[in-house]
Amino acid sequence: MVDWTDRREGKGGAKAAVWVLEQSSFEGATEAASESRFALSNGSLGIRGSIEEMPGADPSTYLAGVYERTAIHYHERLSGFAATTDTRIPVASGLRLSIVAGGEDISTGEIVRFSRQLDLRRGVLVRRTRWRLASGHLVDVTAERVVPFALSAVAALRLTVESVNFSGTLRIVSAIAADQPATGQGDDPRIGAALEGGGLATEATATKDGPAALSQRTRNSAIGVVCAQTHEMEPLLNALGATATADGVEEIFTGELREGAPVRFEKFIAYACGDQDAPGMLDKARADVRAAAHTGMSALMAGQTSELAQFWRDAGTTFEAAPAIEQALHFNLFHIYQAVSRTPEHSVAAKGLSGEGYEGHYFWDTEAFVFPVVVLTAPSLARQMLEYRYRTLEAARAHARELNFPSGALYAWRTISGAECSAHYPSGSAQFHINAAIAFAIRLYDRATGDEAFVLGKGAQIVFETARIWMQLGHFNHRRGGAFCIDGVTGPDEYTVIVDNNYYTNKMARMHLRYAVELAGRCPSARPDAADVLAWRRAADAMYLPLDAELGVNPQDDTFLDKQPWDFAHTPADCYPLLLHYHPLTLYRRQVCKQADVVLAMVLAGEDVPLEDKRRNYDYYEPLTTHDSTLSRGTFAILASEIGRPEAARSYFEETLFTDLGDLHDNTSHGVHMAAMAGSWLALSWGFGGLRCGDHDPTFSPTLPARCPGYEFAIVWRGSRLKVSVRANAVEYLVTDGPDLSIHHFGSELVLKRGVVRHMPVGTAAERT
């Protein structure tokens, strides 16, 4: 069992307040990770939680719609290799400030008091800093920041500056600065890119006839972006006007600072982006920033609080006798909610908009891990995630042709624009299971929302086009009794690549094909050919999913069980993650798993797998899994709970829960881990709560985790909000909003009436059979 004594409090002194994440001391060594944790976003705009007046802080700001495109260079380029990569890069920062009090730049002083709070119910970041200057003067700075969900690319900052022990002059310089470079390529493949002259170039500054603004454009991807700023203050300061600088634009304000008389300074910024030749971006940014200032900081914060109140009504969780765990659940859910795009142009990147890890790319874990949380807690946002996949369907068709498939669509393994960006095809393009993950998400959306307008239209097109790939990738193998085999693929475990009959891939492909057959029967128009539907049904029914007779487990692929196991006993602790210390070929020839593979198949598509088979698979693959991917532990928590391993389930749950609050993989500085955050909620609801979303109604088989007197979670299902409360003596189901709801509790059907609590007994793992 991992000792969580220090990690539960988080690095940097974060306290276990259930609804407020607080850092009570400034620590330069861990500031980059803190900036990720305290980042704010609305799915279109993301700003790291830096200290506005501190030089050297990382004020990186990201727009979902701004990325650079750079050529991928190979010494030996072969047919179909990805030609370019998309890289999300920082845009001009609109929150750069300097404060000079009594003639002294306060950032040259010493921080003697510090706190930074992220209020998860208000969506507001509040920082309080006391600076001691060389003269002995003390200055208090309070900064309140919000990135409104209701406005696409707007942020607002309220700065309160107060003298503690002197009176003197005050000078505030408010800047839009384009001096934040993208992270360069280094030895860690998880962050950085070689832009080779790419990036953002400053085109113009606008200092007259409206709010000050800065225009930029990417050098290769033909994207333009404008940032505009405006201010409100009390008392009124002297405005010296806007001037262009070497790296942007700045406005200077001067006045007096008196002891006991705080100065309130509010800054509003707005961004507009699009095709670099599109007209009107400057006008839009200026109009949006004026509108935000007219609304006012207080109203923007009130609107944020109101929207979050609705979210927490639909997604509230508790975990009794463990406030740090409850806080972490709230923290993770908050980050997921703020990362989801409110428009169909974008989805949720691996790091959201909190950092530059993985170049800002979207992967399969968006649909396999993040999407289930969103569709069950904020279903209206879930549709936007699927709309993004529909918008990039044509790019998926083009990618299929690049890999020599004459028909169908294959989604890029990693992308922003929709084009494949993976330069390493064995662990990239070969992961065809991304198609099944997207079909899985559409199927779950179908079950949870009943939105047939989308599902039988755009959703069905995606499912049909992606299903066609399986029929070209696989074949009926007479040497295996006519079983449908899928060759030359990579599953979720990237330490084993280009294999035949990866179990996870085959299992998910079967689910995908069967769902395609179902949709074909439901679609009123645009149905696929009857021959296609028949082939899909035959392939699904004949899918090769063997059980090893000697070990009683499902082989991860045709050769995995024949390999020599990895020598864990003689692997130094500082050689993890293995991918940073061993050549890929060294990993490929051993039985070692980067993350859950067969175990994930048991969770996502294991409805027909006997419980005893799940136990054997868990017991076999657990000691072979390094969990070098943050996606892994949440999956193990779910299966451990299902098979009756409460201590292991609790341990894995906590490890995925505190991935970022504890910086357990030492790379939270790259941005927070969206899929691990999602995995913590899934471990609670799918693991401890036994929630499964099969073909019809949701099913539950709740048990209590180790050392937990009770917990609660809620889901939204077809317009009904269902609260599930689990304690030692009973499970309570309560529909608080929406129509009556049918569910299953350990296989027994229950019809829940709105407002009427239904009490049922807590079960055991044996009852989950």
Side-chain angles (χ1 to χ4, degrees):
M1 181 69 178
V2 177
D3 179 6
W4 288 101
T5 303
D6 58 336
R7 294 191 177 101
R8 280 179 176 161
E9 298 304 311
K11 295 182 179 180
K15 297 178 181 178
V18 170
W19 287 105
V20 178
L21 180 71
E22 181 176 359
Q23 180 184 351
S24 58
S25 62
F26 177 76
E27 298 180 13
T30 60
E31 178 62 8
S34 292
E35 289 171 347
S36 297
R37 295 185 191 104
F38 290 99
L40 294 180
S41 171
N42 62 10
S44 295
L45 168 66
I47 304 177
R48 286 172 62 82
S50 58
I51 300 173
E52 290 86 354
E53 70 270 21
M54 177 178 283
D58 180 2
S60 291
T61 300
Y62 308 100
L63 290 171
V66 177
Y67 56 91
E68 184 58 298
R69 180 167 292 129
T70 309
I72 298 174
H73 297 289
Y74 303 90
H75 183 64
E76 298 176 352
R77 179 190 293 275
L78 299 178
S79 175
F81 278 23
T84 61
T85 185
D86 305 330
T87 304
R88 183 163 288 120
I89 52 179
V91 299
S93 170
L95 293 183
R96 194 71 64 82
L97 295 167
S98 69
I99 302 171
V100 179
E104 296 178 86
D105 186 331
I106 68 170
S107 69
T108 64
E110 175 191 5
I111 294 177
V112 296
R113 186 182 300 169
F114 181 89
S115 73
R116 179 162 39 192
Q117 296 178 334
L118 176 58
D119 191 320
L120 304 171
R121 287 178 294 190
R122 298 173 60 221
V124 175
L125 177 62
V126 180
R127 173 179 56 85
R128 296 179 175 88
T129 308
R130 173 166 289 183
W131 295 90
R132 179 189 290 127
L133 310 185
S135 61
H137 293 163
L138 298 175
V139 179
D140 285 346
V141 176
T142 299
E144 301 168 272
R145 184 190 299 183
V146 65
V147 178
F149 300 133
L151 303 175
S152 63
V154 167
L157 171 71
R158 175 185 288 161
L159 202 70
T160 302
V161 184
E162 186 170 5
S163 167
V164 177
N165 61 356
F166 75 101
S167 295
T169 59
L170 175 66
R171 183 174 185 265
I172 298 177
V173 181
S174 175
I176 303 173
D179 61 352
Q180 187 67 28
T183 302
Q185 191 171 39
D187 294 332
D188 189 339
R190 299 169 297 181
I191 189 170
L195 295 180
E196 298 183 347
L200 281 164
T202 298
E203 280 200 312
T205 56
T207 58
K208 298 179 180 179
D209 304 320
L214 176 70
S215 301
Q216 300 174 287
R217 64 171 179 84
T218 59
R219 292 180 170 88
N220 300 324
S221 58
I223 296 172
V225 58
V226 177
C227 178
Q229 68 178 21
T230 192
H231 308 84
E232 299 286 339
M233 62 209 72
E234 184 183 344
L236 192 65
L237 302 177
N238 299 315
L240 304 186
T243 58
T245 64
D247 53 26
V249 61
E250 67 180 26
E251 296 180 71
I252 300 175
F253 302 86
T254 62
E256 295 296 318
L257 187 62
R258 295 183 176 86
E259 185 177 346
V263 173
R264 178 179 58 80
F265 183 86
E266 294 181 352
K267 178 172 186 177
F268 303 86
I269 60 172
Y271 293 86
C273 66
D275 186 285
Q276 66 182 17
D277 297 323
M281 277 193 282
L282 175 60
D283 292 341
K284 175 172 172 49
R286 281 177 159 175
D288 287 351
V289 80
R290 285 192 188 102
H294 178 75
T295 300
M297 182 74 177
S298 295
L300 290 175
M301 290 194 294
Q304 197 82 336
T305 301
S306 178
E307 180 168 338
L308 280 168
Q310 178 61 53
F311 173 66
W312 291 121
R313 279 194 296 269
D314 292 341
T317 60
T318 65
F319 201 91
E320 295 180 5
I325 287 178
E326 191 168 326
Q327 179 208 50
L329 284 165
H330 294 156
F331 171 77
N332 290 350
L333 280 170
F334 173 82
H335 265 284
I336 292 169
Y337 184 74
Q338 71 168 0
V340 182
S341 176
R342 273 65 183 167
T343 72
E345 285 83 9
H346 317 295
S347 188
V348 179
K351 303 290 184 180
L353 292 172
S354 67
E356 294 175 57
Y358 295 108
E359 298 184 69
H361 288 164
Y362 311 127
F363 292 82
W364 71 295
D365 40 280
T366 298
E367 282 76 25
F369 292 86
V370 178
F371 184 86
V373 180
V374 177
V375 76
L376 294 173
T377 59
S380 63
L381 296 182
R383 175 162 175 168
Q384 302 302 334
M385 298 171 69
L386 298 180
E387 290 277 5
Y388 164 79
R389 290 299 189 182
Y390 181 76
R391 287 175 61 87
T392 56
L393 180 58
E394 195 56 44
R397 291 186 177 109
H399 183 44
R401 306 302 169 269
E402 291 171 345
L403 270 64
N404 309 120
F405 297 109
S407 64
L410 175 61
Y411 279 92
W413 176 244
R414 56 187 300 173
T415 188
I416 296 175
S417 65
E420 179 64 87
C421 296
S422 176
H424 189 244
Y425 73 86
S427 59
S429 299
Q431 298 203 51
F432 294 90
H433 63 83
I434 188 171
N435 273 5
I438 294 169
F440 167 82
I442 294 171
R443 179 174 175 265
L444 179 55
Y445 180 79
D446 184 10
R447 304 298 192 246
T449 70
D451 181 4
E452 292 201 343
F454 176 84
V455 169
L456 300 185
K458 297 174 181 178
Q461 290 184 53
I462 295 172
V463 171
F464 296 154
E465 280 290 86
T466 50
R468 292 186 171 99
I469 296 299
W470 299 122
M471 304 312 300
Q472 300 166 79
L473 186 63
H475 64 106
F476 294 96
N477 188 344
H478 73 276
R479 293 174 59 84
R480 297 190 184 275
F484 190 79
C485 296
I486 300 176
D487 300 330
V489 302
T490 299
D493 170 26
E494 295 174 354
Y495 290 169
T496 308
V497 302
I498 315 294
V499 298
D500 298 340
N501 294 310
N502 169 254
Y503 181 82
Y504 173 86
T505 300
N506 286 17
K507 191 77 169 170
M508 292 296 287
R510 186 175 72 168
M511 177 279 300
H512 184 175
L513 292 169
R514 285 180 171 168
Y515 184 53
V517 171
E518 176 194 327
L519 284 185
R522 291 167 56 192
C523 282
S525 60
R527 296 176 179 172
D529 292 340
D532 286 341
V533 177
L534 178 61
W536 296 342
R537 181 181 287 110
R538 287 185 59 229
D541 291 344
M543 190 65 66
Y544 186 61
L545 297 165
L547 186 72
D548 184 80
E550 179 181 350
L551 298 174
V553 302
N554 297 107
Q556 184 169 299
D557 58 68
D558 281 357
T559 63
F560 187 86
L561 299 183
D562 296 326
K563 296 177 180 177
Q564 182 180 355
W566 183 266
D567 186 2
F568 290 96
H570 294 94
T571 302
D574 60 359
C575 284
Y576 293 92
L578 300 181
L579 63 93
L580 297 184
H581 301 278
Y582 296 91
H583 193 283
L585 291 175
T586 303
L587 301 172
Y588 298 163
R589 67 173 67 99
R590 295 287 190 270
Q591 282 193 59
V592 59
C593 301
K594 179 184 178 184
Q595 63 202 73
D597 194 300
V598 172
V599 169
L600 183 59
M602 299 292 114
V603 170
L604 296 187
E607 300 92 344
D608 60 341
V609 178
L611 193 64
E612 192 52 44
D613 287 1
K614 292 180 179 181
R615 288 195 182 100
R616 284 194 297 268
N617 278 300
Y618 177 94
D619 290 340
Y620 187 85
Y621 289 103
E622 185 192 30
L624 299 175
T625 305
T626 64
H627 308 291
D628 285 345
S629 167
T630 59
L631 308 184
S632 187
R633 287 187 169 93
T635 301
F636 271 83
I638 295 169
L639 192 60
S641 182
E642 182 177 0
I643 64 174
R645 307 287 171 79
E647 287 291 343
R650 174 76 182 249
S651 178
Y652 280 127
F653 165 64
E654 291 192 6
E655 289 178 276
T656 193
L657 182 69
F658 290 100
T659 294
D660 288 304
L661 286 179
D663 196 9
L664 301 188
H665 285 245
D666 294 318
N667 65 348
T668 296
S669 59
H670 302 176
V672 296
H673 299 76
M674 301 309 304
M677 290 176 155
S680 66
W681 187 87
L682 295 175
L684 177 72
S685 58
W686 289 15
F688 305 143
L691 170 62
R692 295 294 183 271
C693 308
D695 291 334
H696 301 289
D697 303 326
T699 66
F700 299 87
S701 50
T703 60
L704 275 177
R707 304 178 310 286
C708 175
Y711 60 92
E712 294 179 353
F713 64 92
I715 67 168
V716 179
W717 189 272
R718 299 212 168 198
S720 297
R721 180 188 181 275
L722 173 63
K723 179 181 177 182
V724 182
S725 305
V726 184
R727 289 172 180 81
N729 57 339
V731 179
E732 293 182 358
Y733 296 105
L734 174 62
V735 175
T736 59
D737 295 291
D740 297 344
L741 180 64
S742 293
I743 68 166
H744 285 79
H745 173 84
F746 284 98
S748 298
E749 184 177 6
L750 303 178
V751 177
L752 305 177
K753 301 293 184 181
R754 177 178 174 176
V756 178
V757 176
R758 189 71 180 269
H759 298 270
M760 298 297 292
V762 178
T764 64
E767 293 176 275
R768 288 178 165 178
T769 304

